[in-house]
Amino acid sequence: MGRPRLTIVTPSFNQGEFLEETIKSVLDQEYENLEYIVVDGGSTDRSVSIIKKYSDRLAHWVSEPDEGQYHAINKGFARATGEIMAWLNSDDKYLPWTLSVVADIFSAFPEVEWLTSVHPLQWNSHGQAVAVDFTGALSRHSFLQGNNFPVEGSIGRRWIQQESTFWRRSLWERAGGRLDQSLAMAADFSFSARVSRTCSSSCHFMRAERIAARPR
């Protein structure tokens, strides 16, 4: 039995400073069943030349004006065929083992529909790992009760790190199959809320030790 098809979408706009490192963090893992889509918003820096450099290894790419990050992500996912889905912003990156760990977990635990990391990693502007956080456990029930919000003494724990979050296509479709573009900064949070509301008691969330990605 082959490994599951993973779809990763990277939205980008004028992120030429970081974009190549992001793309390489995905492609250099050489995951054998990868569908990688890059959606650029019509950048005027060197982003397009960077994308073209890797175009033969991309499932699809486009550079054209769009309505912002979440619109770009929706455009990418509209083309997705993977069983497992995620997006990685153009100034973030994965660790070398990320996709293999994700595939192994989803293959070994078919009941798991949503997966994220317990230990997010932080990069500096040079792409060097400088810190490892701990976010603790969080169930869909506690999420809906607001337990992911910082409270006195919590030090902001139990937040969901979007860069390290993956889900099954079936869950994406049940939760509406798109991000809410009307939310300027919180469509990822809105998606997590919809996922939590959509899931039945048989829907399993998992937090793993070794999935790591992080914004700079």
Side-chain angles (χ1 to χ4, degrees), residues 195-213:
V195 163
S196 299
R197 290 194 299 267
T198 298
C199 275
S200 66
S201 58
S202 62
C203 176
H204 287 73
F205 285 15
M206 180 180 284
R207 287 196 143 184
E209 294 280 341
R210 292 193 65 206
I211 306 168

Side-chain angles (χ1 to χ4, degrees), residues 28-96:
D28 285 357
Q29 300 192 37
E30 298 184 352
Y31 182 80
E32 63 271 24
N33 200 2
L34 172 68
E35 180 180 59
Y36 188 28
I37 298 170
V38 178
V39 183
D40 180 78
S43 292
T44 56
D45 63 0
R46 60 191 183 96
S47 294
V48 173
S49 64
I50 291 171
I51 297 168
K52 286 181 177 179
K53 180 178 176 180
Y54 299 93
S55 61
D56 62 331
R57 301 173 66 188
L58 302 177
H60 174 75
W61 73 274
V62 67
S63 181
E64 61 187 16
D66 57 38
E67 298 171 20
Q69 175 189 11
Y70 298 130
H71 181 219
I73 295 167
N74 281 334
K75 285 168 59 177
F77 282 143
R79 290 181 168 270
T81 63
E83 176 188 350
I84 311 301
M85 306 170 69
W87 82 82
L88 182 69
N89 292 326
S90 53
D91 58 351
D92 304 332
K93 64 178 186 175
Y94 290 139
L95 287 172

Side-chain angles (χ1 to χ4, degrees), residues 170-186:
S170 56
L171 181 59
W172 168 260
E173 293 174 346
R174 297 202 315 274
R178 63 184 294 106
L179 301 179
D180 186 346
Q181 295 171 207
S182 70
L183 301 174
M185 298 293 290

